[in-house]
Amino acid sequence: RVGLWQFTYDTDLAKRLYFDAASSLVLNPAKKYGPYVPESSIALSEDRREIRGYRKTNGWAVRKVFYCARFSRPWTTAVKETRDAFEGAGERYTLDFADLEKGETLEVRVAISTVSEKNAVANLEHEAGRGVSFEAVRSATRKEWNTLLGRVEMEGTDAQRRSVYTALYHLFVQP
């Protein structure tokens, strides 16, 4: 329910992130049923450190997913982007972190909920709230995945083992 990312900008080029709740990695090949994301919303916080909203998707299930994204430092500017309306409904922003020095790290934490925006915020606080380090979350996550995937012991080639463990991973991610 929560994902954490660290971005380190090692150049003097612009330090930006593109935030797009209206697009999807899933292609709607026929495009005859309309966009895969027919509805989404983005609300930028006044302190420039958090984005909340939702996106409704048309895929194997029609569903609404609420999210809360929190940044370790405020963005300096947020530019609203435009796109072809068929590609998905909703706003997209490019966030500029011009105050980041070369080599500094930006951390982003994103939580989701299929119930409400309030629950997405609660998921973020519970699983990766303020004061919880990136490394602590990473270590706990690795331990939990090893426990789940360790339920199966098998012999086989590396390719066979990779195939089985990948299938188990998919099973636990999207049951």
Side-chain angles (χ1 to χ4, degrees), residues 1-3 51-57 63-69 110-127:
R1 301 179 306 183
V2 176
I51 296 176
R52 295 183 186 187
Y54 71 89
R55 58 185 264 149
K56 182 179 178 183
T57 58
R63 62 182 171 175
K64 204 174 207 179
V65 177
F66 299 87
Y67 63 86
C68 175
V110 180
I112 62 170
S113 168
T114 56
V115 177
S116 69
E117 187 178 289
K118 181 180 176 182
N119 283 24
V121 173
N123 290 342
L124 183 60
E125 291 297 330
H126 176 73
E127 296 180 29

Side-chain angles (χ1 to χ4, degrees), residues 1 8 13 15 17 19-20 32 44 68 70 77 84-85 87 121 124 129 135 137 143 145 162 165 169-170 174:
R1 301 179 306 183
T8 303
L13 299 175
K15 296 149 184 86
L17 286 180
F19 199 91
D20 181 355
K32 62 183 178 181
L44 307 177
C68 175
R70 196 170 285 159
T77 59
D84 181 315
E87 292 181 357
V121 173
L124 183 60
E135 285 305 319
V137 172
K143 181 178 177 183
W145 274 113
R162 187 177 307 110
Y165 285 120
Y169 167 79
H170 290 153
Q174 189 75 36

Side-chain angles (χ1 to χ4, degrees), residues 43-45 47-52 68-71 75:
L44 307 177
S45 69
D47 69 357
R48 302 182 334 265
R49 294 177 82 102
E50 194 171 274
I51 296 176
R52 295 183 186 187
C68 175
R70 196 170 285 159
F71 302 85
W75 58 81

Side-chain angles (χ1 to χ4, degrees), residues 6-169:
Q6 285 184 330
F7 300 95
T8 303
Y9 297 87
D10 290 331
T11 71
D12 292 322
L13 299 175
K15 296 149 184 86
R16 297 181 180 140
L17 286 180
Y18 181 63
F19 199 91
D20 181 355
S23 296
S24 176
L25 294 176
V26 177
L27 178 63
N28 181 351
K31 291 200 175 191
K32 62 183 178 181
Y33 301 114
Y36 185 76
V37 181
E39 180 183 329
S40 68
S41 93
I42 294 178
L44 307 177
S45 69
E46 288 186 23
D47 69 357
R48 302 182 334 265
R49 294 177 82 102
E50 194 171 274
I51 296 176
R52 295 183 186 187
Y54 71 89
R55 58 185 264 149
K56 182 179 178 183
T57 58
N58 294 330
W60 58 272
V62 175
R63 62 182 171 175
K64 204 174 207 179
V65 177
F66 299 87
Y67 63 86
C68 175
R70 196 170 285 159
F71 302 85
S72 61
R73 61 188 309 140
W75 58 81
T76 50
T77 59
V79 176
K80 188 175 180 179
E81 304 291 347
T82 58
R83 224 194 216 159
D84 181 315
F86 191 78
E87 292 181 357
E91 298 173 335
R92 300 151 177 90
Y93 286 89
T94 296
L95 306 175
D96 195 331
F97 295 88
D99 293 344
L100 273 174
E101 297 294 327
K102 182 178 176 180
E104 280 189 293
T105 300
L106 171 67
E107 190 173 291
V108 183
R109 297 170 184 229
V110 180
I112 62 170
S113 168
T114 56
V115 177
S116 69
E117 187 178 289
K118 181 180 176 182
N119 283 24
V121 173
N123 290 342
L124 183 60
E125 291 297 330
H126 176 73
E127 296 180 29
R130 291 178 173 90
V132 178
S133 76
F134 183 91
E135 285 305 319
V137 172
R138 183 183 196 173
S139 176
T141 301
R142 180 172 279 135
K143 181 178 177 183
E144 189 170 338
W145 274 113
N146 284 338
T147 298
L148 286 170
L149 297 177
R151 292 178 180 178
V152 173
E153 291 183 28
M154 62 170 286
E155 294 180 13
T157 66
D158 285 347
Q160 290 168 329
R161 293 168 51 86
R162 187 177 307 110
S163 179
V164 169
Y165 285 120
T166 298
L168 283 173
Y169 167 79

